[in-house]
Amino acid sequence: MTARIEIVAAAKTYPGVRALDDVDFHVAAGEVHALLGENGAGKSTLIKIMTGAATADAGELRLDGRPMRFASPADARAAGVGAVYQEVNLVPTLTVTENLALGRLPRRFGLVDWRAARVQARLRLRKLGVEIDVERPLGVYSIAIQQLVAIARALDEDTSVLVLDEPTASLDAAETARLLDIVRELKGQGLAIVFISHFLDQVYAIADRLTVLRNGRRVGVGTPQEIPPAKLVPLMLGRELEAVERARAAGQTHTGEPILVAQGLGKTRVMAPFDLTLHPGEAVGLSGLLGAGRTESAKLIFGALRADSGSLKIAGEKINPSPRASLARGIAFCPEDRKAEGIFAELSIRENIAIALQSKRGWLKALSRAEQDRLASEMIEALGIATPDAEKPVGQLSGGNQQKAVLARALVSDPRVLILDEPTRGIDVGAHAEIVALIRRLAGQGLAVLVASSELEELIAVSDRVAVLRDRAFVGELSGADINQQTIMRTIAAP
Amino acid sequence: MKSFSPPLKISTPRAAPRLLWPLVALALIFAVDGIISPHFFAIRIVEGRLFGNLVDIVYRATPIAIVALGMAIVIGTKGIDLSVGAIIAIVGATLDWRIHMGDPHLLALAIALAAGVACGLWNGLLVAVLDIQPIIATLILMVSGRGVGLMINLIYGGSDPSFESPLLQGLSTGHIGLIPTRILVGIGLWIALWALVRRTALGLFLEAVGANPKAAELAGVEARAIKWAAYVISGFMAAAAGVILTADTHTSDPVSIGLYSELDAILAVVIGGGSLNGGRIYLLGAVLGAVVIQALTTSILTSGLPPEYNLVVKAGVVLVVLLLQSARTRAAVARLATGRKR
Amino acid sequence: MKRTWLPLAATIAVFVALFGVGGALYNHFLSSLVLGDILDDNAFLIIAAIGANFVILSGGIDLSIGSMIGFVGVVMAKLDAFGWHPLASAAVMIVFGAGFGACQGLIIDFCEIQPFIVTLAGLFLLRGACFMVTLDSLPLRHPFVSDFAAVALPLPGGGFLASSALAMFAALAVAVVIAHKTSFGANVYAMGGDRTSAALMGVPIRATTVKVYALGGLYSAFGGVIYALYTSSGYPLAGSGAELSAIAAVVLGGTLLTGGIGLVVGALFGGMILGLIATLINFNGSLNGAWIMISSGVLLFVFIVMQRALVGSLTPRSAS
């Protein structure tokens, strides 16, 4: 089988991150090749290289055996590589016709021939079995239809490679089935298809081959039969090094009055209702693959996402979760996406650290400058934030240090429950161990800690219990000796 | 836990580089003034009060400085208030109307300030609750506010809107000791506002909302109420400026009072180092910016240059300041410079 | 092309209703004479608003419109005194307007400074330039000016379309073709709808930004030419605040101030509504000019709130 698109020994380094390291990847005509890996595994960098959004530092890209170099997405498109992303990259205010025709408008006497554009638009959509009014703005249609329009746009007559990046992330079951049918049909027409999804059932339903990436390296390639789910999950999550030692004796069982009780908490289309109990002094891990619902369940408990079912009790008191209400009752949250939801780039480290405690106290009772300085320098020292002083704007710190500042903010707000979403993402190895130790120490002091993480060894090291999530639902809870890589992975992968 | 962090410096004077540009601009303007007319800086005492170009600059800059203080707050939340000129007109008309209705002048003053606060509440409602873009939301009052002022004039006939008020005119054009009262009023408002945002946590919340509204919400800040407060503050400050301007002319003239003051105030904030992207509030910078603008105007007048050059020079200064602030331009200039070195 | 016609339909309905109100209140209001007058009086504003409409559709804003109108007028008057033919000076000024707009667009895109601030500097610069040309009102004495004013197309019912109205319709026709029949027009809509996606779809952002501000400058300069011919003079304060009226006309015409949604022809109806309100209020001797501003503000408010609801229906639902 000859490869239609082929990447040989690709490497790409971003400042501080080795995004891709000697990765090979090839897709043949009439093949659906799934690309798998957690966040930061290198999937998006690989896609960017294929679609011209980035260039590799080393390695070669070949199309039908010929070496190519894409300087821009336009180059890639012209060469026959089309791409569709999870976030529909079309303009919702434009009509369907305009979205399909933009950049290649048919002309007549020098002017745009919209009649021809409409005919072409209908034709392109009909190929995918879509019959809609192409004159309405794209935004009025469902995400599923928008996704199909995006696929139609990516498919020129000469498109030979189609990259689908999480195309089903926002679709329901019926919509997904339809999309997968279309993918099968395109495959039948001889397209080479790169399929990225965190829904393993879809991957196994459609893929002819799988490539697994972890930390920028290719850790596995083969047919779905060669890599069944039980083998796939360790590839994605596991460490090839020696087994992680559990930092302490098997997790203690905590009984007595719980500090936090979630019952049937859920949100339609986002997270199936779940139960969760936290005791003082207990650390609970949330484990699952990317997209399983780790972040969503953490946010539902904190109130950053509004639940539409179930209830939440803090220390026996039923509350209507919202960030303010949660903070007031001693729940602190450290978000995963620090740039979008965590840091105030223009504000100083001191202010970034003080703000949650300050909002808890109200605007009239300002923390004195001396108090803020004290909190900031304590945290800078405790977490090892690398900065000359506490007045530096957080936006000028490295990613790991920004993460520490957000963590520090949660810690100084004097919480009883600490919710950490990927607390060690982007943090260097030394600080990583420190944060793990810190979480244990906080639990030892009587805090209840909820840690959502994609890193199994981290969860194993800190957790007294581990809740396992799959496809936006809780599917199991492990405790005691069951908290080990094999059992967690088996629970994640179980059909 | 071990610490890897280097020893801490307690504080760094971060304000310095930010205030450098307006200060340099002011120094340049004054340097030119000093060369053109050696007596430019002379200050003398006439009829028991200070006179001279420097006093005049601060005196004339005061109303815009007051408006700019409120604008700095709004811009800090990543907003903008285009309606301050219209608010000045409404406040002037309200003041005049209540005085003609025979209210005690202190009450009239209170009602006029309340009118400004009401305008701020309206703007805040549109921005914070209805979630309309600030430029668009405040455009509504900008377009219609002067008409509202004219309508208020009509309530009491409006044929002779002039008034006499020792209290109000004292506030605007009088002096306490050697110093013009309005300068003291301006300084008082500045200190009060500084205390409001820096002695409480309001300033931190305002800046947090401007820097990252999503993160502010997650940190427990009530972004909506905070944004609303910003527009109310801006409305109040515009009202204070409106009282001074109206008392100065003894009359309510909604069509032309405070014309372009929104543009001057925004400019003052930008010259003072404030970014329209929000996240930072520089009160001192805004005041300095207003002084720079007025110094430019006064200098053009005293230099013998025709006054019609005023706007063109102002536009030139704006452009230079903007280009200096743009990271993209600085990068391009740096690239050119290093390119040349090679 | 089918776009979101709903806001424009609302605009036209408002116009018809206001016209009806006028007819109910005053004799002789419902006539082609009044309609022709409204078009004639507001032609310059509608022309400027057409340019502003492009800029706003692209997601930007142009505050330099009013100053451009004033500047074009004083320069034409000055050149008239030197014996220039108004058509020659008009051509020069229109080219100048396009060039000035292009510079603004380049600064906006290259330096990444908000259009609001850049065009505010443009407002100051051009108004200041007006004062440097003259402080007084200068007449346009060339015979062409009166010849221009004499042109009129009779309308059924005794009214007529004056030359400025005819020029406006010509400008509108060109604008409609540019907006809906060229790839530049499609790019403007795409950029205003979603800048990031548009860039990914291959829309040249910098070229489109420069072109759209050039077009805005060109149209406001043309509006200035028409205003100078209409008043047969150049006055340094002419067009003060016209940028606000133009923006209001664009919003009333159904264009979303955040860009991406709207029709170029909306500027015509938006401008006519503003003119109609002024005419209605002037017809009633007892009403004050203040009503013009207040009713414009109220209409603006209603349209903006209506647009918020409309945008809500066009925002794609997302799962998280």
Side-chain angles (χ1 to χ4, degrees):
Chain A
M1 202 157 49
T2 56
R4 172 142 286 166
I5 189 165
E6 191 174 8
I7 287 177
V8 183
K12 174 86 183 172
T13 307
Y14 292 107
V17 195
R18 193 139 178 80
L20 276 186
D21 189 2
D22 194 23
V23 169
D24 293 343
F25 183 69
H26 48 93
V27 192
E31 180 190 47
V32 176
H33 194 144
L35 192 53
L36 295 147
E38 286 287 287
N39 270 340
K43 285 177 303 182
S44 42
T45 309
L46 194 58
I47 299 170
K48 279 183 186 162
I49 291 171
M50 279 189 274
T51 57
T55 48
D57 301 337
E60 201 172 58
L61 174 75
R62 293 188 205 128
L63 214 55
D64 289 323
R66 288 187 311 276
M68 303 286 281
R69 201 172 167 77
F70 298 150
S72 72
D75 276 7
R77 233 184 349 258
V81 179
V84 177
Y85 302 94
Q86 171 179 3
E87 314 265 325
V88 179
N89 274 311
L90 299 177
V91 182
T93 55
L94 293 183
T95 64
V96 174
T97 303
E98 289 166 318
N99 268 298
L100 285 172
L102 202 68
R104 46 180 168 221
L105 293 164
R107 280 156 205 277
R108 205 157 161 252
F109 309 122
L111 295 177
V112 176
D113 184 355
W114 286 111
R115 186 184 304 267
R118 278 195 290 275
V119 171
Q120 286 174 12
R122 288 199 194 97
L123 215 66
R124 279 160 167 268
L125 288 170
R126 196 164 299 145
K127 277 192 198 157
L128 301 181
V130 182
E131 297 275 353
I132 53 171
D133 180 356
V134 294
E135 282 307 275
R136 298 189 67 196
L138 180 73
V140 305
Y141 292 107
S142 70
I143 294 282
I145 295 289
Q146 296 191 27
Q147 199 67 265
L148 293 176
V149 174
I151 293 176
R153 183 176 161 88
L155 290 176
D156 274 324
E157 288 85 62
D158 55 353
T159 299
S160 59
V161 178
L162 180 63
V163 179
L164 299 170
D165 185 2
E166 296 281 0
T168 58
S170 315
L171 308 189
D172 65 25
E175 292 165 344
T176 301
R178 184 175 179 196
L179 190 127
L180 293 184
D181 279 344
I182 287 171
V183 173
R184 278 188 201 100
E185 202 178 308
L186 293 173
K187 168 184 148 181
Q189 291 168 14
L191 251 71
I193 296 170
V194 181
F195 186 82
I196 296 141
S197 174
H198 61 259
F199 294 109
L200 295 189
D201 51 339
Q202 292 170 21
V203 169
Y204 282 97
I206 194 124
D208 300 307
R209 265 191 311 155
L210 317 175
T211 286
V212 187
L213 298 179
R214 190 174 68 234
N215 296 330
R217 306 188 67 110
R218 190 177 80 174
V219 293
V221 59
T223 63
Q225 290 73 37
E226 288 163 355
I227 310 179
K231 251 177 108 176
L232 175 71
V233 175
L235 282 176
M236 288 170 73
L237 299 181
R239 278 268 157 104
E240 58 258 81
L241 304 173
E242 74 281 9
V244 183
E245 256 183 76
R246 204 142 152 69
R248 66 215 148 78
Q252 298 112 309
T253 334
H254 293 259
T255 48
E257 206 53 35
I259 177 81
L260 181 145
V261 181
Q263 269 184 324
L265 208 60
K267 187 172 170 71
T268 320
R269 291 181 78 100
V270 174
M271 189 72 209
F274 62 89
D275 299 335
L276 187 73
T277 308
L278 283 176
H279 297 87
E282 186 179 40
V284 174
L286 291 176
S287 183
L289 295 177
L290 177 67
R294 297 183 309 235
T295 297
E296 288 77 6
S297 34
K299 283 190 170 177
L300 280 167
I301 292 170
F302 183 64
L305 278 176
R306 290 282 168 143
D308 54 16
S309 68
S311 68
L312 186 74
K313 275 189 200 156
I314 310 289
E317 180 199 1
K318 199 169 163 178
I319 68 162
N320 201 359
S322 77
R324 270 183 77 71
S326 299
L327 268 167
R329 286 165 185 79
I331 308 184
F333 175 61
C334 197
E336 172 188 13
D337 187 347
R338 59 176 167 257
K339 196 146 234 151
E341 303 183 332
I343 61 162
F344 303 99
E346 291 90 347
L347 302 195
S348 66
I349 299 170
R350 168 178 58 81
E351 291 164 311
N352 268 279
I353 290 176
I355 188 158
L357 176 60
Q358 181 64 69
S359 69
K360 201 173 159 184
R361 289 167 54 130
W363 69 278
L364 274 173
K365 286 186 219 140
L367 291 159
S368 73
R369 179 62 188 264
E371 214 167 336
Q372 292 184 27
D373 282 339
R374 186 182 58 76
L375 288 173
S377 55
E378 256 179 40
M379 279 298 149
I380 288 173
E381 196 162 319
L383 301 181
I385 300 175
T387 174
D389 65 77
E391 295 308 307
K392 195 168 172 151
V394 160
Q396 296 175 12
L397 297 180
S398 72
N401 284 306
Q402 291 179 359
Q403 181 74 339
K404 289 179 192 170
V406 178
L407 185 59
R409 178 192 304 159
L411 290 178
V412 304
S413 75
D414 192 19
R416 292 188 285 177
V417 179
L418 190 57
I419 304 173
L420 306 172
D421 194 1
E422 296 287 356
T424 57
R425 162 131 333 133
I427 286 186
D428 55 77
V429 180
H432 189 293
E434 282 178 42
I435 285 177
V436 168
L438 177 75
I439 294 172
R440 273 320 312 166
R441 203 159 46 109
L442 292 168
Q445 289 166 7
L447 243 74
V449 189
L450 183 65
V451 182
S453 175
S454 57
E455 307 225 6
L456 284 189
E457 60 273 22
E458 178 178 310
L459 288 176
I460 292 166
V462 304
S463 306
D464 296 312
R465 277 187 291 142
V466 173
V468 179
L469 290 75
R470 192 195 317 127
D471 291 346
R472 299 177 182 264
F474 277 53
V475 293
E477 191 171 296
L478 307 172
S479 57
D482 280 345
I483 302 182
N484 59 62
Q485 295 218 18
Q486 287 71 30
T487 317
I488 296 178
M489 288 181 195
R490 209 176 321 121
T491 317
I492 291 175
Chain B
M1 193 181 288
K2 281 174 293 177
S3 159
F4 300 104
S5 61
L8 294 179
K9 266 191 280 170
I10 294 308
S11 70
T12 42
R14 253 195 321 142
R18 185 173 38 75
L19 290 176
L20 190 67
W21 292 114
L23 285 173
V24 165
L26 209 54
L28 279 177
I29 294 167
F30 284 154
V32 174
D33 288 331
I35 294 166
I36 293 175
S37 83
H39 302 297
F40 187 85
F41 305 106
I43 292 179
R44 57 193 192 285
I45 299 172
V46 180
E47 293 169 9
R49 66 185 288 183
L50 291 173
F51 266 93
N53 284 323
L54 292 183
V55 181
D56 187 65
I57 288 171
V58 178
Y59 181 86
R60 285 176 194 276
T62 299
I64 287 300
I66 294 173
V67 177
L69 284 168
M71 190 68 79
I73 303 276
V74 172
I75 288 177
T77 66
K78 205 171 184 171
I80 204 157
D81 188 351
L82 296 182
S83 71
V84 287
I87 294 176
I88 288 173
I90 291 175
V91 166
T94 309
L95 187 67
D96 205 347
W97 165 48
R98 290 322 303 173
I99 287 175
H100 275 83
M101 298 312 281
D103 286 356
H105 291 182
L106 208 56
L107 178 64
L109 173 66
I111 293 173
L113 293 176
V117 170
C119 292
L121 281 169
W122 163 258
N123 284 332
L125 175 81
L126 297 186
V127 174
V129 180
L130 297 185
D131 214 15
I132 297 173
Q133 259 196 334
I135 282 193
I136 302 168
T138 55
L139 180 72
I140 295 170
L141 192 55
M142 183 192 191
V143 166
S144 55
R146 294 182 184 277
V148 173
L150 288 170
M151 296 298 296
I152 296 174
N153 273 5
L154 281 183
I155 295 177
Y156 58 90
S159 53
D160 175 26
S162 77
F163 65 92
E164 290 299 325
S165 166
L167 168 75
L168 297 171
Q169 270 126 27
L171 276 177
S172 176
T173 55
H175 56 102
I176 297 175
L178 291 175
I179 304 170
T181 318
R182 73 160 68 167
I183 295 178
L184 296 174
V185 169
I187 292 173
L189 284 169
W190 176 12
I191 293 172
L193 191 61
W194 176 82
L196 178 67
V197 298
R198 294 298 175 210
R199 286 281 127 202
T200 72
L202 188 60
L204 178 60
F205 291 170
L206 286 163
E207 292 177 334
V209 167
N212 188 343
K214 219 168 174 179
E217 203 75 69
L218 284 183
V221 178
E222 256 188 303
R224 192 168 282 190
I226 295 294
K227 267 192 210 168
W228 205 336
Y231 289 88
V232 172
I233 291 172
S234 173
F236 177 82
M237 298 304 273
V243 169
I244 290 174
L245 289 171
T246 307
D248 195 348
T249 56
H250 301 216
T251 179
S252 159
D253 177 11
V255 173
S256 58
I257 190 174
L259 203 62
Y260 291 135
S261 57
E262 56 283 336
L263 304 184
D264 278 337
I266 294 166
L267 194 54
V269 172
V270 172
I271 292 177
S275 156
L276 291 182
N277 290 324
R280 272 302 181 196
I281 296 169
Y282 301 125
L283 296 181
L284 176 60
V287 171
L288 261 180
V291 171
V292 168
I293 294 172
Q294 186 58 45
L296 202 61
T297 309
T298 304
S299 304
I300 289 168
L301 290 176
T302 54
S303 67
L305 219 64
E308 46 271 28
Y309 280 70
N310 189 4
L311 275 176
V312 173
V313 175
K314 198 150 127 185
V317 171
V318 180
L319 275 177
V320 170
V321 170
L322 284 177
L323 294 181
L324 283 174
Q325 281 189 356
S326 152
R328 189 88 170 261
T329 325
R330 283 205 298 260
V333 171
R335 256 201 318 277
L336 275 179
T338 52
R340 247 176 238 151
K341 266 178 213 158
R342 274 174 214 154
Chain C
M1 254 180 33
K2 197 153 106 192
R3 276 190 201 279
T4 324
W5 281 92
L6 189 72
L8 184 67
T11 307
I12 295 173
V14 167
F15 179 78
V16 171
L18 281 175
F19 210 50
V21 168
L25 290 176
Y26 312 111
N27 292 331
H28 316 302
F29 195 92
L30 285 181
S31 68
S32 61
L33 205 64
V34 171
L35 197 64
D37 274 354
I38 291 176
L39 285 170
D40 190 21
D41 294 345
N42 294 286
F44 79 98
L45 180 66
I46 294 172
I47 292 171
I50 293 168
N53 206 347
F54 276 101
V55 174
I56 292 173
L57 278 172
S58 79
I61 199 149
D62 188 354
L63 297 180
S64 67
I65 291 171
S67 302
M68 179 65 83
I69 291 173
F71 183 66
V72 167
V74 291
V75 173
M76 278 181 70
K78 202 78 179 176
L79 291 177
D80 181 83
F82 292 139
W84 281 52
H85 192 284
L87 283 180
S89 57
V92 169
M93 290 322 289
I94 288 172
V95 171
F96 167 81
F100 187 85
C103 290
Q104 294 193 131
L106 197 62
I107 294 176
I108 289 165
D109 188 77
F110 181 76
C111 305
E112 292 176 329
I113 307 175
Q114 281 99 337
F116 183 86
I117 294 294
V118 173
T119 58
L120 172 61
L123 180 158
F124 285 146
L125 191 69
L126 287 177
R127 187 60 71 189
C130 289
F131 293 133
M132 290 172 70
V133 173
T134 174
L135 290 176
D136 307 308
S137 180
L138 299 178
L140 276 165
R141 294 186 204 278
H142 196 281
F144 172 80
V145 177
S146 46
D147 292 349
F148 180 77
V151 178
L153 188 73
L155 288 174
F160 54 87
L161 280 182
S163 42
S164 49
L166 293 172
M168 181 269 287
F169 277 116
L172 181 64
V174 173
V176 168
V177 171
I178 292 175
H180 304 306
K181 285 284 180 186
T182 67
S183 52
F184 165 72
N187 288 345
V188 167
Y189 277 99
M191 201 167 93
D194 185 331
R195 206 179 142 89
T196 318
S197 291
L200 282 171
M201 289 166 83
V203 171
I205 298 290
R206 173 160 306 164
T208 310
T209 307
V210 170
K211 279 189 209 165
V212 84
Y213 282 92
L215 196 64
L218 187 148
Y219 267 83
S220 39
F222 186 47
V225 168
I226 295 301
Y227 190 71
L229 293 175
Y230 173 74
T231 57
S232 59
S233 69
Y235 178 52
L237 280 174
S240 295
E243 60 280 343
L244 276 190
S245 306
I247 293 167
V250 170
V251 175
L252 292 182
T255 297
L256 211 65
L257 257 181
T258 43
I261 299 178
L263 290 164
V264 168
V265 74
L268 168 67
F269 290 98
M272 274 168 58
I273 287 182
L274 291 180
L276 188 56
I277 291 174
T279 310
L280 265 174
I281 286 165
N282 289 335
F283 248 67
N284 181 331
S286 69
L287 277 179
N288 182 284
W291 282 102
I292 300 177
M293 302 183 213
I294 295 177
S295 37
S296 311
V298 170
L299 268 181
L300 209 54
F301 171 67
V302 171
F303 270 74
I304 286 169
V305 171
M306 208 171 76
Q307 288 181 350
R308 281 279 323 149
L310 183 79
V311 174
S313 74
L314 273 184
T315 314
R317 67 185 166 85
S318 61
S320 56

